[in-house]
Amino acid sequence: MPEYLGIDTSNYTTSAAVYVSEEGKIYQSKKLLPVKDGALGLRQSDAVFHHTKQLPEIIEQLYSSHSFNQPSLVTASVRPRNTEGSYMPCFLCGEGYARSLAAVNGIPAMFTSHQVGHILAALYSAERLDLVNERFIAFHVSGGTTDCLLCEPDEEELVKITQIGTSLDLKAGQAVDRTGLMLGLKFPCGIELEKLAEGSTVKHKVKPVMKGTDCCLSGLENKCEKMLADGEKPENIAGYCLEFLSETIIAMTKAAIEKHGPLPLIFAGGVMSDKIIRDRIISVFPEAHFAAPEFSCDNAAGVALYGFLKSKTTGEK
């Protein structure tokens, strides 16, 4: 039974996943990187250290909890994006493990980007893997990205990604985490900020800051700081933050559709697992597809899928 192992060592999470092709099912194991209280993420040297420690643990957990065979192929994410100069040292951990495993076991190794992994995981979760053969618009919204992307079939990369729009300053995940830390929450702050925002009793007037198809989010942080200084309730500050991000992503989506036409919409990345944001976007674009939270936050599921889908085009077993 062909099985495809995927590894992703991002700046937030150590992840491994196995795609069992005959079942069409993904099994995954992952663990957040530890971050000190009050800190906004990790230095790359610390991320590399923690991945080195955690990767064997999650692989052991994954393979001890299921009766897997030796993988037919191993894939790792080796860069944030498939663009020139895209590089983060933390991805060396997954790449090194994949290359070593492939050499010892005499199996192929493949490599892709963290971003492609996110998009494929979202397509799998939304039951729309058929879109790898079509053009579609995808959002990758996380701690390091607020990107609107045109995705097209590609023989070499499987999915060719062209940026339509992005944040020109602060990224959405950074805004969430900075607002959360401001309110005394623990990093990463997404889940706790969403819970806090559920108690908001105020509907705010929100006007996204757009420059063509791009957005600006630095004003959001400044506004939240002012609200806190003025004595606004924490739940209302959290609600404002998520409302602002929702309306910004909606504005970016409208700009992308105006430029490229009404293509299928896919939303991926950790910020897109927020129910408040998701529900607001769906109210405007009911046809949009979202990944389930376990396939929206950082994961290796899409990386494992890349190995399977790519092997079908190259003839690898």
Side-chain angles (χ1 to χ4, degrees):
M1 182 181 297
E3 296 169 3
Y4 300 82
L5 174 63
I7 298 168
D8 183 78
T9 50
S10 73
N11 206 34
Y12 290 93
T13 309
T14 312
S15 309
V18 172
Y19 178 68
V20 181
S21 59
E22 290 188 9
E23 298 177 5
K25 188 172 181 180
I26 290 173
Y27 301 83
Q28 60 177 321
S29 176
K30 54 186 176 178
K31 186 177 182 180
L32 287 171
L33 302 184
V35 178
K36 293 180 180 179
D37 288 346
L40 271 168
L42 288 168
R43 294 179 302 177
Q44 279 294 295
S45 58
D46 292 331
V48 169
F49 170 78
H50 290 302
H51 281 310
T52 302
K53 182 179 179 181
Q54 292 183 177
L55 186 54
E57 295 174 358
I58 67 160
I59 295 285
E60 288 168 350
Q61 181 182 18
L62 182 61
Y63 274 78
S64 65
S65 60
H66 302 284
S67 299
F68 294 128
N69 301 310
Q70 176 182 299
S72 304
L73 184 152
V74 58
T75 305
S77 55
V78 296
R79 65 188 71 88
R81 302 175 180 84
N82 281 337
T83 57
E84 185 176 353
S86 183
Y87 170 76
M88 290 182 77
C90 57
F91 290 106
L92 291 171
C93 300
E95 179 183 3
Y97 187 93
R99 288 173 59 186
S100 301
L101 183 67
V104 169
N105 291 282
I107 60 175
M110 292 186 177
F111 306 103
T112 187
S113 70
H114 177 72
Q115 190 168 70
V116 167
H118 261 300
I119 291 170
L120 291 179
L123 292 178
Y124 169 83
S125 180
E127 299 183 352
R128 289 305 310 269
L129 277 175
D130 59 293
L131 289 180
V132 296
N133 299 312
E134 300 179 29
R135 296 172 79 239
F136 61 95
I137 292 170
F139 273 81
H140 180 199
V141 188
S142 65
T145 58
T146 304
D147 293 346
C148 178
L149 309 164
L150 177 64
C151 301
E152 302 172 280
D154 184 81
E155 186 175 341
E156 181 64 28
E157 299 177 2
L158 193 65
V159 179
K160 179 183 177 182
I161 296 173
T162 304
Q163 184 174 283
I164 300 172
T166 189
S167 174
L168 299 176
D169 42 42
L170 197 65
K171 307 308 179 186
Q174 291 176 315
V176 167
D177 289 327
R178 292 184 185 187
T179 302
L181 289 179
M182 191 189 308
L183 299 176
L185 307 181
K186 185 176 180 181
F187 181 91
C189 304
I191 294 175
E192 291 187 41
L193 193 74
E194 180 184 344
K195 289 180 180 178
L196 188 61
E198 288 173 352
S200 177
T201 57
V202 177
K203 180 65 177 176
H204 302 276
K205 290 184 178 180
V206 175
K207 185 177 181 180
V209 180
M210 297 293 296
K211 293 186 177 181
T213 56
D214 298 324
C215 72
C216 297
L217 295 174
S218 59
L220 169 58
E221 181 183 10
N222 297 334
K223 174 66 174 180
C224 289
E225 287 178 344
K226 185 177 186 306
M227 292 172 72
L228 184 63
D230 291 344
E232 184 62 77
K233 293 180 180 179
E235 55 268 32
N236 291 335
I237 298 173
Y240 175 83
C241 177
L242 298 183
E243 285 179 34
F244 192 98
L245 292 177
S246 300
E247 297 307 317
T248 298
I249 294 167
I250 288 170
M252 293 178 73
T253 306
K254 289 179 178 178
I257 290 173
E258 183 176 348
K259 186 173 183 179
H260 294 283
L263 299 173
L265 298 172
I266 298 290
F267 292 87
V271 176
M272 292 294 89
S273 64
D274 185 285
K275 187 177 185 299
I276 292 172
I277 294 176
R278 184 176 69 245
D279 288 351
R280 173 60 185 140
I281 293 172
I282 289 175
S283 71
V284 180
F285 302 103
E287 73 282 5
H289 299 288
F290 285 79
E294 64 268 27
F295 293 108
S296 193
C297 298
D298 283 357
N299 65 82
V303 178
L305 277 166
Y306 177 89
F308 165 68
L309 294 169
K310 185 69 174 172
S311 68
K312 291 169 62 178
T313 66
T314 62
E316 298 284 0
K317 297 292 185 179

